[in-house]
Amino acid sequence: MKIIKDYLILGFVLFITVVVACSGDNNNEVEPEITVAKKEMDFSKTGGTDILSIKSNVSLEVTSNQGWCKVEPVASTSGTTFKYSIIVEANATTDERVAEVTIQGGSVVETVNVVQSAADALIVKKTSYQVRAEGETIAVELQTTGDYQITINDEDWISKEGTRTLTDKTEKFIIAPNYLTGKRVGSITFVLADLTETISIEQEGMDIPAADKSGMDKDAVALVKEIYAGWNLGNTLEACTISGQDHFTWGSTTLANVNAGETLWRNPVVTQDLISTVKNAGFNAIRIPCAWYAHFEDEVNYTIKPEWLKRVREVVDYCYKEELYVILNVHWDTGWLENNCMEDVKDRVNKVQEILWTQIATYFRSYDEHLLFAGCNEPNADSVERMAVLKSYEQTFVNVVRATGGKNVYRNLIIQGPNTDIETTYNIFGSMPTDVVSNRLMAEVHYYTPWQFCGMTEDASWGKMFYYWGEGYHVEGSERNATWGEEGDMKVLFQKVKTQFVDHGIPVILGEYGVARRSNLTGSDLESHLKSRAYYNQYVTEQAKNYGLAPFYWDNGGDDFSLINRESNTIGDSQLWNAIMEGAKNGNYPY
């Protein structure tokens, strides 16, 4: 029995041993399993720390192949979830970088890519540009890793071309023509985060020819003596309107509000036949009121449209063909100058004045002394303070024309009194602008006195229209006879002009005068009015010349002031024409 018992015990031990052995063999055969929470981890350029979670049934070894990316284990409460800190240093390079984190458990290997964005990069390949005076478009090549801001530090003549996208590697900028005589320097700044790049742009000025006195022999006095009688090409080349308001105000009016065109005010296109008719009528000088701002291509560079310059030149050439003297001005022109004789806009107006007259003067630089320039028209200055601002505009005009060289160095220039009003000019005008040449400046005033006779078209609270003017031309018992501003007053005013300018060797242009025809009258009333109107124009023409003012009749082509019929190119008002020619014949300049 004992032997049987021993065998039973031995067998039991062997069974337990086998079971234990089998149990150990089964553990060695478990397949390792690894599940990574994410296969890629993204970090910004500044770096930082993030947690990588891994599920596994075996122990793990986790390593990084890059020194800037470190791996550290983190305590976990789960027996099957392991956590590791992925620690990434700041990226000081301008390239994106990638580290590979390797996770090994037994025979299984998994990887996680750690991607870090590049540090900000902003590199401008070329930082200095030399640009021709004619202007051009420059291409700025950049190397950048993000969105950047552009600041153009001189907005008057540098502008961005097109709309930028984040993928652009080249920025284009339009450099406007430099009509000024000197070099100008601007810059463009690019900013990305705390990185800044600046490029400089230096643009040449226009080539300036040497002073040329050929064909420019007559100084101001000598030239005015040649003007027998002058005529205005009114309401034509200066025609322009502003939508929604009656004058230009900086900041509230743009070219989008402006309409301009030679026939806008219902006069026909100017032809050689019209100018020849004016010459044959006895006039030897024409004043061309002209708009320019209304014909700018844009309000950034203030470039006059080439086709407009060409058209104005065609009209000037019509006059030259007839050997007429020509005054070319900047007229009302939306009021950008006339209505802005104010300190707070002085710098901007002067900038436009400078760019505008540089273009005009350069374009007509080869024309001889028959062409005169007038800096503005009827500038609204009614105080000493506004007169000081106006004087800066007029000084800019003189300086700019002279600076263009050639014949412009000796060209006769015309300076307008405030409002071109004789009384206001006498009281606040002061001295003429300075000039680099002597005796080449003239003054300009206009004469519509009394306004109740010359221009008023309906009665007002302050006074009624006058239909009849001058000694011997009143209508007995009429309340429409002039009560002021007649012959004696005219002589007093003209004497003020003579005292202020003519007696000091400064000739004067009477740029506009005339009387509106009262077409509402009939019968003897109309006859008396027209006789009085003719007398007024005869008397102004004669006395203007006697006191040293070259007279230019205001013809706007309309029923009120028209002298020349522009449809038929004939004298449309013989009575008025005879009066003006008689005055021109009888008047004598005191030079």
Side-chain angles (χ1 to χ4, degrees):
M1 290 294 294
K2 182 179 183 303
I3 294 174
I4 294 172
K5 183 179 181 180
D6 289 339
Y7 273 110
L8 290 172
I9 293 172
L10 179 61
F12 180 77
V13 170
L14 289 172
F15 173 77
I16 294 300
T17 302
V18 170
V19 169
V20 171
C22 291
S23 175
D25 289 343
N26 289 340
N27 183 63
N28 289 335
E29 292 174 358
V30 171
E31 290 291 332
E33 294 181 359
I34 299 175
T35 303
V36 181
K38 44 190 170 183
K39 299 291 289 183
E40 184 171 295
M41 302 178 72
D42 295 318
F43 286 82
S44 70
K45 62 185 178 183
T46 58
T49 300
D50 198 359
I51 299 297
L52 176 62
S53 296
I54 308 168
K55 287 186 177 183
S56 178
N57 60 354
V58 295
S59 60
L60 302 174
E61 181 182 3
V62 182
T63 59
S64 169
N65 69 343
Q66 298 293 334
W68 53 267
C69 177
K70 295 180 174 57
V71 180
E72 294 181 357
V74 177
S76 175
T77 58
S78 172
T80 59
T81 299
F82 302 89
K83 294 185 177 181
Y84 295 86
S85 286
I86 307 301
I87 305 167
V88 174
E89 298 174 353
N91 188 1
T93 74
T94 58
D95 295 320
E96 180 182 88
R97 58 186 181 180
V98 178
E100 187 175 80
V101 174
T102 301
I103 303 141
Q104 184 167 3
S107 61
V108 178
V109 177
E110 294 285 347
T111 59
V112 173
N113 285 334
V114 176
V115 181
Q116 186 179 25
S117 60
D120 289 334
L122 180 65
I123 300 172
V124 176
K125 292 186 178 181
K126 182 179 179 181
T127 60
S128 180
Y129 291 81
Q130 302 291 321
V131 180
R132 303 185 307 272
E134 293 77 11
E136 59 184 276
T137 297
I138 62 171
V140 180
E141 294 185 42
L142 301 114
Q143 178 184 341
T144 180
T145 57
D147 191 14
Y148 50 86
Q149 302 300 314
I150 299 174
T151 301
I152 299 175
N153 301 316
D154 192 328
E155 297 182 354
D156 285 340
W157 52 282
I158 304 172
S159 60
K160 178 76 177 65
E161 179 182 80
T163 302
R164 177 172 56 88
T165 66
L166 297 182
T167 59
D168 287 342
K169 299 299 181 183
T170 301
E171 298 285 1
K172 292 184 178 181
F173 298 90
I174 302 169
I175 313 302
N178 183 7
Y179 294 105
L180 308 182
T181 56
K183 290 183 179 180
R184 59 186 180 184
V185 177
S187 61
I188 303 171
T189 301
F190 302 85
V191 177
L192 172 61
D194 58 351
L195 301 177
T196 300
E197 288 283 323
T198 299
I199 66 169
S200 63
I201 301 169
E202 183 176 278
Q203 186 177 27
E204 295 291 332
M206 298 293 283
D207 290 334
I208 308 303
D212 180 5
K213 201 172 183 179
S214 60
M216 308 297 290
D217 297 326
K218 296 183 182 68
D219 64 13
V221 170
L223 192 144
V224 162
K225 288 168 65 176
E226 295 295 319
I227 297 177
Y228 180 74
W231 178 84
N232 272 275
L233 181 61
N235 286 18
T236 306
L237 297 188
E238 84 276 29
C240 58
T241 59
I242 302 176
S243 302
Q245 60 190 85
D246 60 358
H247 62 82
F248 184 99
T249 303
W250 289 118
S252 64
T253 301
T254 67
L255 284 176
N257 303 115
V258 176
N259 187 23
E262 185 174 343
T263 62
L264 184 64
W265 290 343
R266 299 183 180 179
N267 275 318
V269 170
V270 180
T271 63
Q272 182 67 64
D273 287 344
L274 172 62
I275 302 304
S276 298
T277 299
V278 174
K279 171 64 179 294
N280 294 334
F283 297 96
N284 74 333
I286 290 182
R287 179 173 177 259
I288 302 178
C290 198
W292 301 95
Y293 198 104
H295 295 277
F296 282 149
E297 290 185 334
D298 58 66
E299 290 174 289
V300 175
N301 306 310
Y302 302 111
T303 302
I304 304 169
K305 294 176 181 177
E307 59 268 26
W308 183 245
L309 279 167
K310 180 180 178 181
R311 176 55 184 157
V312 175
R313 183 175 63 188
E314 286 176 344
V315 176
V316 171
D317 287 345
Y318 295 157
C319 300
Y320 261 67
K321 186 174 181 180
E322 295 293 350
E323 298 182 344
L324 299 170
Y325 288 98
V326 183
I327 295 174
L328 184 62
N329 80 347
V330 173
H331 210 67
W332 171 70
D333 199 15
T334 72
W336 68 270
L337 185 151
E338 289 200 356
N339 294 310
N340 285 286
C341 295
M342 296 168 286
E343 187 68 32
D344 61 338
V345 294
K346 180 177 73 173
D347 290 345
R348 185 174 180 186
V349 174
N350 266 315
K351 185 70 173 180
V352 178
Q353 179 83 324
E354 180 182 25
I355 295 173
L356 174 61
W357 272 109
T358 301
Q359 293 176 78
I360 298 170
T362 300
Y363 195 78
F364 289 97
R365 183 164 47 200
S366 64
Y367 283 68
D368 70 9
E369 65 190 13
H370 282 78
L371 179 62
L372 299 84
F373 294 148
C376 48
N377 174 47
E378 294 179 344
N380 295 325
D382 55 5
S383 66
V384 172
E385 292 76 19
R386 290 196 172 193
M387 184 62 232
V389 175
L390 172 58
K391 191 61 65 69
S392 76
Y393 301 160
E394 294 175 329
Q395 187 65 63
T396 295
F397 161 66
V398 173
N399 293 347
V400 165
V401 174
R402 298 293 182 234
T404 58
K407 297 184 189 300
N408 286 336
V409 173
Y410 301 101
R411 193 169 307 284
N412 285 293
L413 306 178
I414 304 170
I415 307 301
Q416 291 63 46
N419 299 308
T420 53
D421 176 75
I422 293 175
E423 287 278 17
T424 308
T425 300
Y426 188 78
N427 291 331
I428 68 173
F429 179 77
S431 59
M432 295 287 279
T434 60
D435 197 1
V436 294
V437 293
S438 300
N439 305 319
R440 297 280 172 161
L441 297 182
M442 305 176 185
E444 180 179 354
V445 293
H446 297 172
Y447 197 76
Y448 294 106
T449 303
W451 182 248
Q452 287 161 271
F453 178 64
C454 294
M456 193 174 182
T457 56
E458 61 181 27
D459 294 339
S461 59
W462 56 269
K464 294 184 176 182
M465 290 182 287
F466 297 156
Y467 295 157
Y468 317 112
W469 182 95
E471 184 179 355
Y473 290 89
H474 286 196
V475 172
E476 186 175 352
S478 174
E479 62 176 2
R480 299 296 182 175
N481 294 321
T483 59
W484 68 283
E486 297 191 283
E487 292 96 333
D489 293 334
M490 183 187 296
K491 288 184 177 181
V492 169
L493 290 172
F494 284 178
Q495 180 59 53
K496 287 186 174 183
V497 176
K498 186 174 184 296
T499 299
Q500 186 174 18
F501 297 110
V502 177
D503 291 347
H504 296 281
I506 303 169
V508 179
I509 299 297
L510 185 62
E512 296 180 18
Y513 69 97
V515 178
R517 178 189 177 106
R518 301 309 199 283
S519 298
N520 61 304
L521 300 178
T522 59
S524 61
D525 290 338
L526 177 60
E527 182 180 355
S528 295
H529 165 68
L530 294 179
K531 287 181 179 179
S532 177
R533 177 174 178 258
Y535 171 63
Y536 177 93
N537 284 285
Q538 178 268 316
Y539 198 81
V540 171
T541 306
E542 180 177 337
Q543 296 304 320
K545 294 183 72 171
N546 289 341
Y547 284 89
L549 294 80
F552 284 74
Y553 175 75
W554 177 253
D555 186 339
N556 65 3
D559 293 337
D560 47 358
F561 287 95
S562 177
L563 172 63
I564 304 295
N565 185 321
R566 301 191 193 180
E567 298 293 341
S568 62
N569 294 324
T570 59
I571 295 173
D573 191 329
S574 297
Q575 183 183 38
L576 177 59
W577 170 69
N578 282 319
I580 292 173
M581 288 299 112
E582 181 181 355
K585 178 181 178 181
N586 295 337
N588 293 286
Y589 293 119
Y591 300 114

